[in-house]
Amino acid sequence: MARLVDVIEQMIKNMIEENDGQAVISRSQLAEQANCVPSQITYVLSTRFSSGNGYIVESRRGGGGQITITRVSHAGPEHYLQAIVDAVGDDLSQQQARTLLTNAVSVGAITPKEGTAIMAAVSDRALAKVDSDIRAVLRADIFRNALLGLMIAE
């Protein structure tokens, strides 16, 4: 049996597909449909529908708590990489880096070899000698610069 988060993700993806790349949902209504609590919808939106995964999520307070989810279309690999660079905040966890790189490989923005090389450079193992307080900040800087280097090289 599929996990609840996978079911919710698929429900949202179906809505997006049916509406030409954009869906407007109510968190409480979707939670009712999925037979879960609204916080589980929030979890799915934040983990599966981030900008690094190719989506823009906009929520509006009031008016029933409408959430607009838009699938981002990128004209090419460079635009996709730029969107990732723009999406990376001040810090980046190893898992976030892995997710972003996996998605970049899956859409063809980078090669598997490039993804593996960048992941090796930003892994906890590579940054083990860096104080844990600044490791995620350094990882974000290295990650952004590696992607920018790939964009320049093309």
Side-chain angles (χ1 to χ4, degrees):
M1 177 176 255
R3 294 184 18 210
L4 180 60
V5 292
D6 296 329
V7 172
I8 295 168
E9 176 186 18
Q10 195 55 53
M11 290 172 69
I12 295 170
K13 283 184 175 180
N14 289 343
M15 288 182 216
I16 292 169
E17 194 62 37
E18 292 168 2
N19 294 295
D20 298 321
Q22 185 175 60
V24 178
I25 64 168
S26 165
R27 194 170 67 116
S28 58
Q29 287 177 349
L30 187 58
E32 192 175 305
Q33 281 182 312
N35 197 25
C36 66
V37 294
S39 63
Q40 287 174 302
I41 304 299
T42 302
Y43 173 79
V44 171
L45 291 172
S46 65
T47 59
R48 309 277 177 106
F49 293 91
S50 65
S51 58
N53 291 333
Y55 296 92
I56 297 172
V57 177
E58 301 169 275
S59 60
R60 295 184 202 128
R61 301 278 183 224
Q66 297 292 316
I67 299 170
T68 304
I69 306 161
T70 307
R71 184 177 52 234
V72 178
S73 299
H74 298 286
E78 234 177 73
H79 294 297
Y80 189 85
L81 294 179
Q82 186 61 55
I84 293 175
V85 168
D86 294 343
V88 173
D90 293 335
D91 56 14
L92 185 70
S93 72
Q94 179 175 288
Q95 184 56 44
Q96 289 169 322
R98 180 175 285 113
T99 300
L100 291 169
L101 291 170
T102 300
N103 291 333
V105 168
S106 71
V107 301
I110 62 174
T111 67
K113 190 173 185 176
E114 291 166 338
T116 300
I118 295 171
M119 192 64 226
V122 299
S123 70
D124 283 340
R125 187 176 197 179
L127 301 174
K129 293 184 180 176
V130 176
D131 187 22
S132 61
D133 293 343
I134 63 166
R135 190 175 298 161
V137 174
L138 180 59
R139 179 181 291 115
D141 288 344
I142 294 169
F143 188 86
R144 268 193 300 274
N145 282 291
L147 291 180
L148 289 170
L150 288 176
M151 291 166 59
I152 292 169
E154 292 180 0

